[in-house]
Amino acid sequence: MAAIGNDILKAARLLEQGKLVAIPTETVYGLAANALDTTAVAGIFRAKNRPTFDPLIVHTYSIAKTKEYVREFPMELEKLAKAYWPGPLTLLLPKKNVIPDLVTSGLDNVAVRIPNHSLTLELLEKLNFPLAAPSANPFGYISPTKPEHVNKQLGNEIDYILDGGNCEVGIESTIVGVEKGKVCVYRLGGLTIEQIEKVIGKVELRIISSDNPTVPGQLQSHYAPMKKIYIGNIDLLMGQYKNVCVLNFGRKKFNVPTFNLSENENLTEAAANLFTGLRALDECQAEIILCEYLPETGLGIAINDRLKRAAAEK
Ligand code: TXA
Ligand code: MG
């Protein structure tokens, strides 16, 4: 198990030595290393058992700092950065040579974001390098939203977990880039399409899967528990399957183990609880997880995307 604490100086010292430290963000916990040190970055891929064709997000603490790592900052994306950074928004920007190819899996763009968590922002300001950090879970499994989640699965692989409590947003950042002059969203996440379009107008959705080579990480099966998940009408599914548990949304009661994402049908609350709920059900006695899609608005769209990938054939 890794040491857990809120000692920013200790975290900084370890990162300076090329070690791995789990960091809190408002979305999910990240598994961080010095983004400019190829050996340290290689350690991230090793610890997560992550294929090196799946690039990493680089975390910085200011727009000015970000500009040290990218060749240009398209106007639309800078507008988004000014409106929503620090926050659950990742931008794809043409990288400078200082960013190692391993970080971007050889792509010309680097994914960058400023996370909205005071401990991690303080840590980033102390370092003279940015932090590459994917979600701190074994590749393909559910992302961690509490320090205990990280310790349980990657505790033996990392040197320190910076404890910033529960992640407030609970699902990963929204990924946005520019293609042929058009702003595109590649991953739905904690920042909604409505919020993006309020600032820059209509955007295109390019949320696809493993067959979209420009977004190697958007694999069909992802965020997945070990158990099988079925999505549909829960009452009907309960007639079909035995030994089930339910990921619930709303006040309806079921006579099987249940985790409720939000009794009041609040999508923000549901997002914050999603990965904790999937983990809890994955650990209960039942063999199968049943759930329904949430309303397809606001954060519900990103939550449904996670449910679909969690249910996909591995
Ligand atoms: O909220 C988040 O984004 C969290 C916290 C820790 O910041 N991080 C996160 O990282 O979710 P990860 O590695 O689990 O997911 C990053 C996604 C992957 O799907 C990856 O393929 C995509 O971002 N990505 C990273 N760099 C990219 C690039 N240069 N071009 C296209 N997609 C990229
Ligand atoms: Mg991830």
Side-chain angles (χ1 to χ4, degrees), residues 89-104:
L89 166 72
T90 292
L91 298 175
L92 301 182
L93 301 165
K95 82 176 189 74
K96 282 188 183 161
N97 284 337
V98 284
I99 301 291
D101 287 330
L102 182 59
V103 169
T104 63

Side-chain angles (χ1 to χ4, degrees), residues 249-274:
F249 181 72
R251 291 194 189 279
K252 207 159 166 191
K253 293 272 179 277
F254 300 93
N255 61 353
V256 296
T258 300
F259 183 97
N260 204 322
L261 292 175
S262 170
E263 289 206 347
N264 297 322
E265 303 194 9
N266 175 313
L267 292 170
T268 306
E269 186 185 17
N273 286 331
L274 178 67

Side-chain angles (χ1 to χ4, degrees), residues 25 27-30 50 54-57 59 90 92 107 109-111 113 133-135 172-173 175 187 214-218:
T25 82
T27 59
V28 302
Y29 272 77
R50 176 173 174 127
D54 194 2
L56 306 177
I57 296 175
H59 298 71
T90 292
L92 301 182
L107 297 172
N109 281 332
V110 58
R113 88 175 187 103
S135 52
E172 300 82 354
S173 59
I175 302 181
R187 177 173 74 179
T214 58
V215 196
Q218 289 295 75

Side-chain angles (χ1 to χ4, degrees), residues 116-131:
N116 189 16
H117 194 293
S118 55
L119 275 188
T120 293
L121 285 172
E122 213 178 301
L123 172 65
L124 285 163
E125 284 180 41
K126 285 205 189 319
L127 300 170
N128 58 8
F129 48 81
L131 292 174

Side-chain angles (χ1 to χ4, degrees), residues 28 48 50 54 134-137 139-141 143 172 187 222-223:
V28 302
K48 275 191 65 123
R50 176 173 174 127
D54 194 2
S135 52
N137 50 278
F139 182 68
Y141 194 68
S143 299
E172 300 82 354
R187 177 173 74 179
H222 217 85
Y223 316 109

